[in-house]
Amino acid sequence: MDRREVIFYAAVFIFTLVMVWNDQSIILVLGIVLFTTLIAFTFHIIYPMAWETRMDRLDAFLRNKKHKPYIYIFYATANRLDEEVEETIEKLMNNTTASKSTKAIYQAAYGMYREDLFTVRKAVREMRRSDYRTYYETILLVEEGESERARVHLASIKKEWMRFALLAEIERRLNHLEQAREYAARAIHASRGVNRYIMTKEVERYYTKDQLAQ
């Protein structure tokens, strides 16, 4: 829990005590507390994860969430922090409240990070039918050299940033680096929050000026 969260919860606690001491309705107090907590959660967690676009803010947000594995895994994998990836994925897989399908998504991401296609294939079989499952199925086709089948398969994905990211990877594998970079840029433009952070880090890693000059 970071300092802002501590201050917020302390303020809510004090507010609740003051309201109770002044004989306010418990229902009213609980309603205000729940509403305030929801607003704070949206502002501090949901907004940066889903809608933020500035890399400096995303970096600071993710870097300070080591105590929240389901958030910190994005920072650890995007920045190739091997030891922290191992520690974080272990916490996620040991989480008894996460669904089997959710754990499968984490496992697939971990498999791609380790370039372990066996792990990815196993994880995909345990996912519910969704854009994420189609995304990883398409990645497997790309890894197998089935570029044309991959193009057809990704067409059903609703998330635009996913489609562009996959097209960028297909073109990169074919050594069409200018086209790959164009698709990668479109993926960044179409993404928000942690997805934009990851895509930007990928572009920095794969589409440098030196690579394009090859």
Side-chain angles (χ1 to χ4, degrees):
M1 185 178 296
D2 61 33
R3 187 173 66 177
R4 288 186 302 178
E5 289 176 308
V6 171
I7 293 172
F8 169 75
Y9 288 119
V12 169
F13 177 72
I14 293 171
F15 168 80
T16 303
L17 287 180
V18 171
M19 293 286 283
V20 171
W21 283 338
N22 284 279
D23 296 323
Q24 296 294 329
S25 166
I26 294 296
I27 294 176
L28 174 63
V29 173
L30 290 177
I32 293 174
V33 169
L34 289 173
F35 179 75
T36 304
T37 302
L38 178 61
I39 294 297
F41 183 77
T42 300
F43 180 76
H44 291 297
I45 302 295
I46 296 178
Y47 177 81
M49 285 196 71
W51 296 306
E52 182 61 77
T53 58
R54 286 183 51 175
M55 282 293 289
D56 57 340
R57 292 181 179 177
L58 283 166
D59 191 82
F61 167 76
L62 293 171
R63 188 174 62 250
N64 293 326
K65 290 295 183 289
K66 195 168 184 178
H67 59 292
K68 288 181 167 52
Y70 70 96
I71 298 176
Y72 192 71
I73 190 64
F74 295 103
Y75 182 81
T77 54
N79 291 283
R80 312 300 293 182
L81 305 177
D82 293 346
E83 290 186 10
E84 296 189 27
V85 168
E86 297 291 337
E87 293 173 4
T88 306
I89 200 69
E90 183 177 357
K91 291 176 183 177
L92 290 170
M93 299 311 293
N94 288 334
N95 181 4
T96 57
T97 62
S99 69
K100 184 177 180 180
S101 183
T102 297
K103 287 185 177 181
I105 293 173
Y106 290 134
Q107 195 67 39
Y110 177 67
M112 288 305 304
Y113 180 86
R114 294 293 303 274
E115 298 182 357
D116 179 358
L117 297 186
F118 175 80
T119 295
V120 178
R121 289 190 184 93
K122 180 180 177 182
V124 165
R125 291 195 293 269
E126 296 178 353
M127 290 181 197
R128 293 193 302 268
R129 180 57 60 183
S130 66
D131 278 355
Y132 285 98
R133 177 166 179 164
T134 306
Y135 178 84
Y136 284 109
E137 288 173 342
T138 304
I139 287 177
L140 289 172
L141 288 172
V142 174
E143 292 287 346
E144 293 164 0
E146 299 284 351
S147 298
E148 294 310 311
R149 286 182 61 197
R151 290 182 199 276
V152 173
H153 198 67
L154 67 83
S156 65
I157 296 176
K158 296 177 183 178
K159 292 180 173 60
E160 191 176 45
W161 72 267
M162 281 189 177
R163 295 199 306 272
F164 286 136
L166 289 167
L167 288 169
E169 184 61 13
I170 290 171
E171 297 299 341
R172 189 179 74 85
R173 295 297 182 90
L174 295 173
N175 206 35
H176 301 159
L177 297 181
E178 289 288 356
Q179 185 66 58
R181 189 176 187 183
E182 180 181 335
Y183 279 130
R186 293 174 72 179
I188 291 173
H189 182 74
S191 60
R192 298 288 184 274
V194 294
N195 295 319
R196 173 172 285 217
Y197 183 84
I198 292 172
M199 283 302 308
T200 300
K201 289 291 185 178
E202 289 293 297
V203 168
E204 291 173 355
R205 185 173 298 115
Y206 289 122
Y207 307 112
T208 64
K209 291 181 180 178
D210 289 342
Q211 287 172 314
L212 289 174
Q214 293 176 359

